[in-house]
Amino acid sequence: MVVSKIKNMMITEQSLALDTICHFLEEHNQLWEKQKESHRDASVKKLLEFLSLDPKEAADKAILFHLYGLILRECTSEEQVQCHLASLLELSHQHSSQREGIALAVGLASTKHLQEVWALLEHLGRTKFLRSAAVSPDSQDEILKSSFLSAAILLTRSLRDEHGAQRYKFTQIPELVQCLLGILQKEPNFLTTFSRQKVILVIVGLSNLRPRLTPLLKSQVLKTCLHSVYKLPSTEALKSGSPSLERAPDIMVLYKKTIRALDLLLQNFIAENPSMDEVCFLLQHTEHWLNSDKSHERCRAVQSIFLLLQYVVDSLKLAEEAVPSILGHQIGLLTLLWRDKDESTQQHSHHCVFLLMQLVFQQKGKLEETSQWSKMTHFEIKSREWEEKLYHMVKAFKKDLTVAQHTQLILTLVHNLGSGNYLRGDLAAQLLLMMCEEPGFRKEQVAELLQGLFQELPNIHSRSIQQTISKATMALGIQHTQEVVEVVLSLCHPSERWILLLWKALATNYHLSRDVITLLYIKLKLRPPRKLLQSKYQAHLVSLMALGTIYELLYTPEYRNTVRWAFAGILLGLLTELYYLLEMGLVQGIFDYQEDNIASKPLGPCRTCLEALKGLFWTNQYWEVFADLKLTQAWELFGKMETFTRGVTLLARAMAHYNCEVKAVLGQALISLKSTEERDNIVGICIITEFLNSPDVFQYVSRKVIDNSLSMGLSSRNRTVRAMSLQGLGSTLMHPNKVTLLRSKLMELLDNFLQPEFKDPVGLMEIMGHLLHCLGVQGIGTLSFKIAQHLLSLFTDERAKVRECAIFLFGDVIHYGGKKFHQSLKILAFQATVPLLFHMADPCPEVAMKAKFTFLRCAILLKWEFRKELFGKLAWGQGLGAANDIFVYMIESNFGNYQQFLSQALMYLDSPHKALKGAAMRFIGALLQDYFSDLCFYLTKDDVIILKNYLEALSHDPDSRTRRFYLNHWDDVVELSHYDE
């Protein structure tokens, strides 16, 4: 009856009635004077009588608000509705009863005037609410927020019950949602009210209206709501740390209802768009919380995902098959929680993964697999079945996920290898290993896996995880060797520290490491034309990357055996690569910095190749070959095109003498001679020709094969190949009858050489050296001893060039003397060591360098200890420290031979060269100081008298340094003489 009377009222009567109620409510709240209050009470009572209501109910404001809403609902004037709604919302919101009444009136009005109510609420949110949110919260803000929420709740409730609401298009939804999110963001980080729950539920209601929320707004809603709920303290902290307020609801009730509201929001979103894409969209917003360092935040996120997925599986039928690649990433994140410290998180993450796979199976129509997976949801991590379950899961992932999804899953595992959570990183490594070991790993995934792994390597600090990753890389390399090598080559410069870890991993399997080196050798031979060798392309050339990698692997212990196995191929590859780089003109910086400081700046291609060539011999313990070329400065010959073949010749000569991989390298050289590339032919013929001086050549290959190869070289287009082939065909090994002729010629030269007034000893020594080399393996017989004796006498010649040639040829004589004469040559080598030591200080640099070279050859022939260390000091040592080390190596390797050393040294006290005389004084002084007790034992009385006489002769020397030497050591000699009396 009340409604019918209101409908029959005229617009002016309805407006007057609304004004009366509104003024009464406003004045009653402000406690106006008695007469006014009575006046207004009378007006309201009269209105109630008109509507057949009890006038006594005027004091009940709830009735008045309800009446106000009914009149607004029946009002036909939109202008009047807008005006009186505004008046209503201007009333005080101080008391809860007032707010509830206003919300009731607004809700009633919205059933007939939805657009006007909506617009007014949107205006309220944009102006008063947002304006007040900009200032610090106070009681007025809280009152306004409560009123706004109450009105919004009633509005959405009425819209939900209104069947025609879906016909409307509510353009103000985004603004209203933004207002609600603003409220949520201002909520304190504890629970005392139902505000969070109310806001989320209102958003749920609004999201069901047209138009649907845009993905961007939906994303904002998810981020804000998840943050507001998940960021709350743990339940234990909530119970003990929330502010105690009067009439505050139970904390756990609040918490459970808030969590339930969030779950309803997620379920509502997926119900709007039941598809796998939407599932992934929702899960994407939980990623931050799944990776949280706080256990309770991870637990909340996983529980929400579980309830969402369970709802999808039980209640929805997803749209036609969708294959979002990010699904693999999300499965990976959830799988990595299987070893979480929190048991609840473990269990829920198990279920989440299985539910996601069930959805995959359902979309593909694989119902049998769905039932099989449901049986796997119940197992303990500590169970013996753990690894078996993981294995079956890995197989299912590979079989049922798309390539893109599987790749995203793998990358997720990779990016968690360096996680601060060890359990997560270890599980990621185990799963990755299983995936790489599983047959049929897809080739297209290799690059992405290795690129991701390379980026993550610096973050992996656990040794056990590093070892697992090494096994995974090895397993991947076994399946896809070529792809792995190509990808690792392309990742970065070979000198990068972290890339070496991947190469080392590939070396843990010997057969795989052989394949790796072979592929690098093949890549090394992919030599592009000159136009692609401009600086801007160099960094991307596979050939140069392979070269740099080979250089690094030479010094990698894990590849030591493999490099030895591939020694011959690597050697020929590096030699031909160096020749190619010289042809292309890439010689910048090859000799512009010190050899012992090559790490100070990046190496150019030519320098890298040269250093790799040196490293091949040094790291494989063929240091004698390295030393031979170092002390003759032959390595420098490789830096120029015009001297390159001479460098290869000297290298092959040293290899032949020290029997360094002769068989394997000879085989490779014969193959190179058949190549269509001239650079291969040149390198091959240089090696073959020199190896004909090795005594073991015909043990490795027949004379016929050598003869055919050299004959083929005669028809080469290259002049160098033709000339050296002819030289090889004329060698003494191919024509043994030439040995007698050469020896007789050498005898004639020796006769001339022994003449005291011979005019050109330097030229004669050069010819003798050439003949010595031509005789090579056949040796020079008894002549070697005579030649060496005469050369020893020339060490002190006044002419620097004569000293240089004599010292160098002496080294060749003892080097090529042959095994039959080793013992006699050792005697001469021993006699030469002290003079050679002193000539390292020769005023002529060339003589000094030749003295170092021949000194080392003597040490090798005499089989001294510390020969490799001795070479290091000869090659790179500087100053008195290095000289002292060489002295120590020499003395310690010849214990008891002090008398011989001393007698040789005394002869140099008369040298006209100050440097040589100074070297002799240092040597004698060191013996007297460091080995005095040994001298007392080994020197005879005559030896001491000779020493004393030599020192007495120095007492009147005009040189102050000589006199100082005499004064410093005269007492030592005198004391030494007492021991021999």
Side-chain angles (χ1 to χ4, degrees):
M1 179 178 291
V2 172
V3 175
S4 62
K5 287 191 175 184
I6 291 174
K7 286 182 178 180
N8 292 329
M9 294 172 68
M10 293 186 293
I11 293 176
T12 54
E13 291 176 330
Q14 290 175 339
S15 178
L16 180 60
L18 290 170
D19 284 338
T20 300
I21 296 173
C22 188
H23 286 301
F24 174 79
L25 292 171
E26 181 178 13
E27 292 171 355
H28 188 274
N29 189 66
Q30 294 175 354
L31 299 178
W32 277 36
E33 295 88 352
K34 186 71 176 176
Q35 63 271 18
K36 288 186 177 179
E37 190 173 311
S38 300
H39 172 71
R40 292 300 179 188
D41 283 348
S43 299
V44 170
K45 289 177 181 178
K46 187 176 181 181
L47 175 62
L48 293 176
E49 289 176 354
F50 171 74
L51 294 174
S52 301
L53 295 173
D54 187 354
K56 295 180 180 179
E57 293 182 351
D60 187 352
K61 289 190 286 185
I63 295 294
L64 297 177
F65 278 116
H66 185 264
L67 188 60
Y68 196 96
L70 290 176
I71 298 172
L72 277 176
R73 186 183 68 180
E74 302 304 328
C75 185
T76 57
S77 171
E78 294 179 1
E79 184 178 350
Q80 292 285 358
V81 170
Q82 292 173 348
C83 177
H84 291 289
L85 270 175
S87 298
L88 176 68
L89 294 174
E90 289 293 334
L91 292 175
S92 171
H93 298 241
Q94 186 71 32
H95 302 289
S96 60
S97 59
Q98 193 89 348
R99 294 194 295 271
E100 291 170 3
I102 294 172
L104 175 63
V106 171
L108 289 171
S110 66
T111 57
K112 290 279 185 73
H113 304 286
L114 186 59
Q115 290 184 350
E116 288 78 8
V117 172
W118 192 276
L120 195 64
L121 286 175
E122 188 270 336
H123 175 73
L124 173 67
R126 261 199 340 260
T127 55
K128 291 189 177 181
F129 175 69
L130 290 183
R131 185 169 64 248
S132 65
V135 298
S136 58
D138 55 22
S139 59
Q140 294 300 321
D141 294 334
E142 290 298 317
I143 293 169
L144 183 58
K145 180 179 71 175
S146 299
S147 299
F148 182 78
L149 273 179
S150 298
I153 291 169
L154 286 173
L155 174 62
T156 52
R157 188 178 297 165
S158 63
L159 291 175
R160 181 189 61 195
D161 299 334
E162 178 62 43
H163 297 293
Q166 289 300 323
R167 296 196 305 268
Y168 292 95
K169 188 173 184 181
F170 302 97
T171 57
Q172 300 93 344
I173 287 178
E175 287 80 3
L176 190 53
V177 169
Q178 291 289 357
C179 296
L180 293 166
L181 295 180
I183 294 175
L184 207 55
Q185 290 169 342
K186 291 293 182 178
E187 282 294 294
N189 198 33
F190 51 83
L191 286 174
T192 54
T193 69
F194 287 100
S195 294
R196 275 187 177 82
Q197 178 203 16
K198 291 178 180 179
V199 169
I200 295 173
L201 290 176
V202 170
I203 294 174
V204 170
L206 294 175
S207 69
N208 290 320
L209 301 175
R210 294 178 59 242
R212 300 296 186 188
L213 303 185
T214 63
L216 184 62
L217 181 56
K218 192 185 294 186
S219 180
Q220 188 178 354
V221 168
L222 288 168
K223 289 177 183 177
T224 305
C225 293
L226 292 177
H227 183 275
S228 181
V229 177
Y230 291 165
K231 199 66 179 177
L232 288 170
S234 64
T235 52
E236 293 77 10
L238 282 173
K239 292 176 183 177
S240 60
S242 297
S244 57
L245 300 176
E246 293 184 6
R247 302 174 62 187
D250 181 80
I251 293 298
M252 291 312 299
V253 172
L254 268 178
Y255 174 74
K256 290 178 180 178
K257 289 194 173 184
T258 304
I259 289 290
R260 178 56 183 161
L262 183 62
D263 292 335
L264 289 175
L265 176 70
L266 296 173
Q267 293 174 14
N268 188 72
F269 281 162
I270 189 62
E272 292 173 2
N273 180 20
S275 66
M276 189 63 84
D277 284 328
E278 187 70 14
V279 170
C280 291
F281 174 79
L282 297 177
L283 296 188
Q284 193 174 354
H285 291 83
T286 65
E287 179 175 343
H288 170 77
W289 306 102
L290 294 177
N291 290 322
S292 173
D293 294 332
K294 297 180 179 179
S295 178
H296 66 276
E297 292 179 357
R298 297 194 303 273
C299 184
R300 287 167 182 166
V302 176
Q303 186 174 6
S304 293
I305 295 171
F306 166 69
L307 293 173
L308 172 66
L309 295 176
Q310 192 70 63
Y311 170 75
V312 173
V313 170
D314 293 342
S315 306
L316 299 178
K317 181 176 178 58
L318 298 186
E320 61 183 41
E321 183 176 348
V323 286
S325 62
I326 198 172
L327 177 64
H329 171 64
Q330 291 159 349
I331 289 176
L333 288 178
L334 290 165
T335 304
L336 291 174
L337 293 174
W338 284 18
R339 290 180 64 184
D340 196 90
K341 294 180 180 179
D342 182 77
E343 186 175 348
S344 174
T345 301
Q346 289 179 16
Q347 295 298 329
H348 281 117
S349 61
H350 279 124
H351 289 286
C352 288
V353 173
F354 294 130
L355 288 170
L356 283 172
M357 291 305 295
Q358 277 187 272
L359 292 175
V360 172
F361 297 146
Q362 288 174 6
Q363 286 199 306
K364 292 186 175 183
K366 297 183 177 181
L367 300 180
E368 293 182 2
E369 294 192 35
T370 300
S371 60
Q372 290 176 359
W373 270 67
S374 63
K375 297 176 183 178
M376 294 175 62
T377 57
H378 304 289
F379 69 93
E380 298 293 333
I381 288 181
K382 296 180 181 179
S383 168
R384 295 178 181 177
E385 300 177 350
W386 168 250
E387 290 191 6
E388 183 181 350
K389 298 289 186 181
L390 288 180
Y391 173 72
H392 288 302
M393 184 189 70
V394 165
K395 291 190 70 171
F397 286 159
K398 185 172 76 68
K399 178 182 177 183
D400 295 296
L401 296 179
T402 66
V403 175
Q405 290 170 341
H406 195 250
T407 302
Q408 288 299 313
L409 170 59
I410 290 171
L411 292 179
T412 302
L413 299 178
V414 168
H415 295 318
N416 279 272
L417 292 171
S419 170
N421 185 323
Y422 171 76
L423 294 176
R424 183 179 300 185
D426 185 61
L427 178 56
Q430 288 185 38
L431 290 170
L432 198 62
L433 175 59
M434 289 182 177
M435 290 179 174
C436 292
E437 289 179 336
E438 180 69 16
F441 193 93
R442 298 163 174 120
K443 291 183 179 181
E444 54 266 43
Q445 296 174 306
V446 172
E448 293 194 66
L449 168 57
L450 290 173
Q451 287 168 0
L453 185 58
F454 174 67
Q455 293 172 358
E456 195 63 33
L457 281 175
N459 303 321
I460 303 174
H461 305 296
S462 166
R463 193 167 189 81
S464 63
I465 293 177
Q466 288 175 352
Q467 292 172 348
T468 306
I469 293 308
S470 179
K471 293 178 183 178
T473 306
M474 181 197 71
L476 190 66
I478 291 173
Q479 289 193 55
H480 303 290
T481 309
Q482 183 169 345
E483 289 80 3
V484 169
V485 169
E486 289 176 352
V487 172
V488 178
L489 269 180
S490 68
L491 287 176
C492 69
H493 192 273
S495 62
E496 168 64 43
R497 171 190 173 191
W498 299 108
I499 202 68
L500 197 58
L501 295 179
L502 296 180
W503 291 117
K504 286 181 178 180
L506 298 176
T508 51
N509 179 287
Y510 184 56
H511 296 290
L512 175 59
S513 67
R514 286 188 171 193
D515 291 340
V516 168
I517 292 294
T518 302
L519 283 170
L520 288 174
Y521 172 78
I522 294 172
K523 301 293 182 187
L524 182 66
K525 297 180 75 66
L526 298 177
R527 295 161 181 147
R530 184 186 293 271
K531 64 181 180 180
L532 292 179
L533 282 172
Q534 300 172 8
S535 58
K536 62 181 179 180
Y537 294 111
Q538 284 181 27
H540 306 290
L541 288 176
V542 174
S543 170
L544 298 184
M545 296 298 284
L547 169 62
T549 302
I550 290 173
Y551 171 56
E552 296 294 334
L553 297 187
L554 290 175
Y555 294 93
T556 304
E558 289 81 356
Y559 279 91
R560 191 63 47 79
N561 293 334
T562 308
V563 169
R564 177 64 68 89
W565 167 79
F567 185 95
I570 294 175
L571 174 63
L572 272 293
L574 291 174
L575 287 172
T576 51
E577 176 73 4
L578 186 54
Y579 192 89
Y580 161 75
L581 294 172
L582 291 173
E583 285 181 315
M584 298 297 105
L586 295 177
V587 295
Q588 298 89 347
I590 188 169
F591 294 125
D592 63 351
Y593 45 93
Q594 296 298 317
E595 181 180 46
D596 57 348
N597 194 27
I598 58 177
S600 60
K601 59 181 177 179
L603 304 179
C606 218
R607 182 60 185 259
T608 300
C609 193
L610 179 57
E611 293 302 328
L613 188 60
K614 296 177 184 179
L616 181 64
F617 291 93
W618 186 261
T619 59
N620 283 282
Q621 301 304 313
Y622 295 125
W623 66 269
E624 295 96 341
V625 177
F626 180 96
D628 203 292
L629 272 70
K630 170 63 180 175
L631 294 178
T632 56
Q633 298 177 308
W635 288 120
E636 283 77 357
L637 299 175
F638 288 95
K640 296 179 181 178
M641 181 67 75
E642 54 270 22
T643 58
F644 177 83
T645 54
R646 176 66 178 163
V648 178
T649 297
L650 293 178
L651 177 62
R653 185 175 300 177
M655 291 177 66
H657 177 77
Y658 291 108
N659 194 26
C660 171
E661 301 283 346
V662 172
K663 179 180 179 181
V665 174
L666 181 61
Q668 286 289 327
L670 290 170
I671 294 172
S672 295
L673 203 56
K674 300 175 183 178
S675 171
T676 57
E677 294 282 349
E678 284 192 7
R679 66 178 72 95
D680 292 339
N681 303 153
I682 292 171
V683 170
I685 193 61
C686 288
I687 292 173
I688 293 170
T689 303
E690 279 303 319
F691 276 12
L692 293 178
N693 293 315
S694 170
D696 303 320
V697 168
F698 288 147
Q699 294 181 20
Y700 308 136
V701 64
S702 68
R703 182 186 296 270
K704 183 178 180 180
V705 171
I706 294 289
D707 188 68
N708 290 340
S709 298
L710 294 174
S711 299
M712 181 177 65
L714 293 176
S715 59
S716 173
R717 295 175 299 175
N718 186 276
R719 184 174 62 180
T720 301
V721 176
R722 294 197 304 270
M724 299 201 72
S725 297
L726 186 61
Q727 178 183 330
L729 287 168
S731 67
T732 57
L733 194 66
M734 301 298 289
H735 300 280
N737 56 340
K738 294 174 66 175
V739 174
T740 304
L741 178 63
L742 291 174
R743 283 179 177 172
S744 63
K745 186 63 179 175
L746 190 60
M747 180 67 78
E748 291 180 23
L749 294 174
L750 179 59
D751 291 338
N752 293 329
F753 193 44
L754 296 175
Q755 298 299 320
E757 300 297 330
F758 188 72
K759 294 183 179 180
D760 187 17
V762 173
L764 184 58
M765 283 188 283
E766 289 177 350
I767 295 172
M768 292 175 73
H770 178 67
L771 291 175
L772 188 64
H773 174 63
C774 289
L775 284 166
V777 66
Q778 307 298 334
I780 57 178
T782 56
L783 291 177
S784 60
F785 190 78
K786 292 181 180 180
I787 295 172
Q789 272 188 319
H790 186 65
L791 291 172
L792 192 57
S793 67
L794 295 177
F795 283 11
T796 56
D797 195 280
E798 293 181 357
R799 295 163 292 183
K801 192 65 178 176
V802 173
R803 295 198 304 273
E804 177 189 352
C805 290
I807 290 172
F808 185 72
L809 185 57
F810 182 88
D812 275 352
V813 171
I814 65 170
H815 193 65
Y816 291 109
K819 294 182 179 179
K820 291 182 180 179
F821 303 96
H822 266 189
Q823 195 56 42
S824 58
L825 290 174
K826 280 184 177 181
I827 296 172
L828 292 177
F830 179 78
Q831 293 175 7
T833 52
V834 170
L836 290 171
L837 178 68
F838 295 166
H839 279 286
M840 293 180 200
D842 197 281
C844 177
E846 289 75 15
V847 176
M849 182 58 70
K850 296 297 188 298
K852 290 182 178 181
F853 173 68
T854 303
F855 185 83
L856 182 63
R857 279 186 161 180
C858 291
I860 292 173
L861 178 65
L862 295 169
K863 296 183 179 180
W864 286 0
E865 297 181 66
F866 315 112
R867 295 188 294 277
K868 188 175 181 181
E869 293 79 3
L870 172 63
F871 161 66
K873 294 300 178 181
L874 291 171
W876 300 292
Q878 295 179 352
L880 293 177
N884 183 68
D885 289 340
I886 294 170
F887 167 78
V888 171
Y889 294 146
M890 177 181 175
I891 299 300
E892 293 295 329
S893 299
N894 294 276
F895 184 76
N897 292 316
Y898 306 110
Q899 187 273 337
Q900 295 93 325
F901 285 154
L902 194 58
S903 62
Q904 293 171 23
L906 290 173
M907 295 174 59
Y908 274 83
L909 290 177
D910 297 327
S911 174
H913 300 293
K914 290 184 178 181
L916 297 178
K917 185 177 180 179
M921 289 190 294
R922 286 193 298 273
F923 182 84
I924 295 169
L927 277 177
L928 289 170
Q929 182 175 349
D930 298 335
Y931 294 91
F932 184 83
S933 59
D934 292 327
L935 292 177
C936 292
F937 182 80
Y938 284 99
L939 292 185
T940 65
K941 184 176 182 180
D942 292 337
D943 295 331
V944 176
I945 291 172
I946 293 172
L947 175 60
K948 192 174 182 180
N949 291 337
Y950 265 97
L951 254 67
E952 281 183 326
L954 299 177
S955 62
H956 303 293
D957 196 293
D959 182 51
S960 60
R961 188 176 59 170
T962 304
R963 293 195 305 273
R964 190 182 309 116
F965 168 74
Y966 162 76
L967 294 172
N968 289 340
H969 298 288
W970 176 251
D971 291 341
D972 294 331
V973 175
V974 171
E975 185 178 354
L976 191 60
S977 64
H978 294 324
Y979 280 96
D980 293 300
E981 291 180 354

